[in-house]
Amino acid sequence: MLWSSSKQLSRRVMPKAEEEMSASSNHKMVVGYALTSKKVKSFLQPKLEGLARKKGIMFVAIDRNKSLEEQGPFDVILHKLSGKEWFQILEDYKKLHPEVTVLDPPTAIQHLDNRQSMLQDVADLNLSASEGKVRIPKQLVVTTDPGAIPEAVAQAGLKLPLVVKPYVVDGTAKSHELSLAYDQLSLSKLEPPLVLQEFINHGGVLFKVYIVGDAVNVVRRFSLPDVDKRGPSGLGVIPFPRVSCAAASADDADLDPCVAELPPRILLERLARELRDRLLFNIDIIREHGTQHRYYVIDINYFPGYGKMPGYEQIFTDFLLSLHRAAKISEQQLADK
C-alpha cells in the first residue's frame, strides 16, 4: 500500500562509469553502489535493473580498492557500508562534488548504529495526535557487569518479560540475535552491551513502514505472540528470530480486524516527515494490543530489505529520477544567478 581548458590530443582514459555511459546514449543517470554482497543480491534484482535501464538509470558497482574519483562521475552514491574510513571517503568525495547525492549521508545515519540513539528521535518527538500516539517502549541500556542487571532493571521500573537486543547494529547476523527474558534470575546471565526493552503485547503483528523519499509503504508481518505477564516465571531467556523475519507476510492472513488494521496513514506520514534527516529507512512499529491508537516504534533500519516491499522497483526508480530532476533544477538556478 503506497501512502518517493584545453582539448587533449591523446586519447583520454575514461572512468568506468563515464565509459559505460558513453556506450548508451539512453543513460542519463549513474548510480554508484557500495553494498554488501547480501544486499546486492536482495536489492539489485533483475526486475529493478531492467526497469532502471528503461528509465535511463544505470547502476555501477563501486570498487572500494580504488578511489571514487577515478570511478565516477556519479549522480548518486548508494551505500550500506559502515566504518569511519568509508564515511570519511564519502565526505571527502562530497566536498569535491557537492552536486552528487549520497544516500544517505554519514551524518544522517550514524546514530542508527546503536539501539540507544536509534530511537531517541522518536522519544524526543512525543508524537501525539487525534490519529494516535507514537512512543518507544521503556528500555534500559546495559554496557557492563551482568550481575548488576537485575537490580538495574528493578530500579528502572521495567516489567518482565524483556526483549533483549544487542546494543550495536552493524548489519551482521549477531546484531539481530534477539531474545526474550522472562525472569530476574536469567538477567544476570546476559552478555552486555545490550538493550533491554519492555515487551508490549501487540497481537502477534507488527507493521513495517518503508520510506523511500516521500513514498511511505506499509506491510504487515507476523511477530511474536502475546505473552501472559501474570504467568509463571522460570522460563529463562528464550531466543527468537529477528522480529521482522519471524514469519511470512501477514497481509493476506485471516486476522482479527483490531489487530490487522493498519496504522492511520496520516500518522505514519507525519512520523516519516519528522524523521526526514535521512531518505532510505524503515520503521518497525507495533500497536499495543487492546488499544485503538497507541503505537510503539521498536526499531529503525537504514536501507532495509526493499526487495520485500511490494512494487519497490517502480517506487525506487521514480525516487531516483526525482533526485535527478531536483539536481538539474538546482544546477539551472545556480547558472541563472
Side-chain angles (χ1 to χ4, degrees):
M1 179 178 293
L2 181 61
W3 294 54
S4 169
S5 169
S6 61
K7 295 182 179 179
Q8 296 182 355
L9 296 179
S10 60
R11 182 181 182 274
R12 179 171 61 91
V13 178
M14 292 188 290
K16 179 180 178 182
E18 186 176 344
E19 186 173 13
E20 293 186 20
M21 280 283 286
S22 67
S24 174
S25 58
N26 292 328
H27 290 135
K28 57 186 178 183
M29 184 179 190
V30 179
V31 179
Y33 65 88
L35 307 172
T36 63
S37 57
K38 181 180 178 181
K39 180 61 69 175
V40 169
K41 183 178 180 180
S42 66
F43 176 72
L44 284 178
Q45 298 180 13
K47 187 176 179 180
L48 172 64
E49 292 191 290
L51 182 60
R53 281 194 298 269
K54 290 180 180 179
K55 295 186 175 187
I57 302 169
M58 181 174 63
F59 289 100
V60 177
I62 290 175
D63 186 345
R64 290 194 65 187
N65 295 317
K66 299 179 181 179
S67 71
L68 292 178
E69 194 66 38
E70 64 180 294
Q71 297 181 73
F74 303 110
D75 296 294
V76 171
I77 293 180
L78 184 65
H79 74 104
K80 192 175 183 181
L81 300 177
S82 59
K84 292 181 179 180
E85 182 180 356
W86 170 246
F87 284 173
Q88 191 61 55
I89 289 172
L90 287 177
E91 291 178 357
D92 291 345
Y93 188 76
K94 180 67 175 177
K95 289 177 182 177
L96 292 173
H97 302 279
E99 74 283 359
V100 176
T101 300
V102 176
L103 294 176
D104 274 318
T107 53
I109 61 177
Q110 282 176 319
H111 66 295
L112 296 182
D113 65 359
N114 73 74
R115 286 190 163 91
Q116 180 178 24
S117 59
M118 172 193 293
L119 299 181
Q120 191 57 51
D121 286 348
V122 180
D124 292 342
L125 284 177
N126 197 29
L127 183 56
S128 181
S130 58
E131 298 82 15
K133 297 180 179 180
V134 179
R135 302 288 187 268
I136 66 170
K138 196 170 184 179
Q139 63 181 29
L140 174 69
V141 176
V142 180
T143 56
T144 59
D145 190 7
I149 295 178
E151 183 180 354
V153 166
Q155 290 181 350
L158 269 64
K159 298 178 181 179
L160 295 165
L162 299 175
V163 181
V164 183
K165 301 183 177 184
Y167 177 76
V168 176
V169 183
D170 56 8
T172 63
K174 186 174 180 60
S175 68
H176 298 301
E177 293 178 352
L178 313 183
S179 304
L180 201 59
Y182 284 89
D183 52 58
Q184 288 278 349
L185 182 62
S186 64
L187 295 178
S188 59
K189 300 177 183 179
L190 300 175
E191 298 181 10
L194 50 81
V195 171
L196 300 175
Q197 202 173 74
E198 278 193 344
F199 182 83
I200 297 170
N201 282 335
H202 51 283
V205 172
L206 68 78
F207 305 98
K208 292 194 73 68
V209 184
Y210 294 94
I211 289 89
V212 182
D214 292 327
V216 179
N217 188 293
V218 58
V219 297
R220 299 181 192 89
R221 286 283 183 270
F222 283 115
S223 179
L224 299 178
D226 290 349
V227 299
D228 185 354
K229 298 185 178 183
R230 297 170 301 176
S233 60
L235 295 176
V237 178
I238 307 298
F240 57 82
R242 185 177 177 184
V243 172
S244 61
C245 299
S249 170
D251 280 338
D252 299 322
D254 184 15
L255 299 170
D256 183 328
C258 295
V259 172
E261 182 184 3
L262 296 174
R265 174 180 175 179
I266 189 171
L267 188 70
L268 295 180
E269 290 180 337
R270 180 177 172 188
L271 178 60
R273 283 197 305 270
E274 295 289 351
L275 300 175
R276 192 69 76 187
D277 58 342
R278 63 195 73 87
L279 294 171
L280 302 177
F281 63 106
N282 96 286
I283 304 167
D284 288 347
I285 188 170
I286 58 175
R287 179 196 294 111
E288 185 174 359
H289 199 192
T291 70
Q292 188 174 8
H293 297 304
R294 190 180 300 165
Y295 300 96
Y296 291 86
V297 173
I298 57 174
D299 259 319
I300 300 177
N301 306 290
Y302 169 64
F303 201 157
Y306 285 116
K308 300 176 184 177
M309 180 178 75
Y312 89 99
E313 301 91 350
Q314 184 72 47
I315 294 171
F316 211 92
T317 50
D318 285 348
F319 166 64
L320 291 174
L321 290 176
S322 71
L323 293 178
H324 194 58
R325 287 192 295 268
K328 292 300 181 184
I329 292 173
S330 296
E331 288 178 13
Q332 186 61 50
Q333 290 175 339
L334 289 175
D336 292 341
K337 288 185 179 180

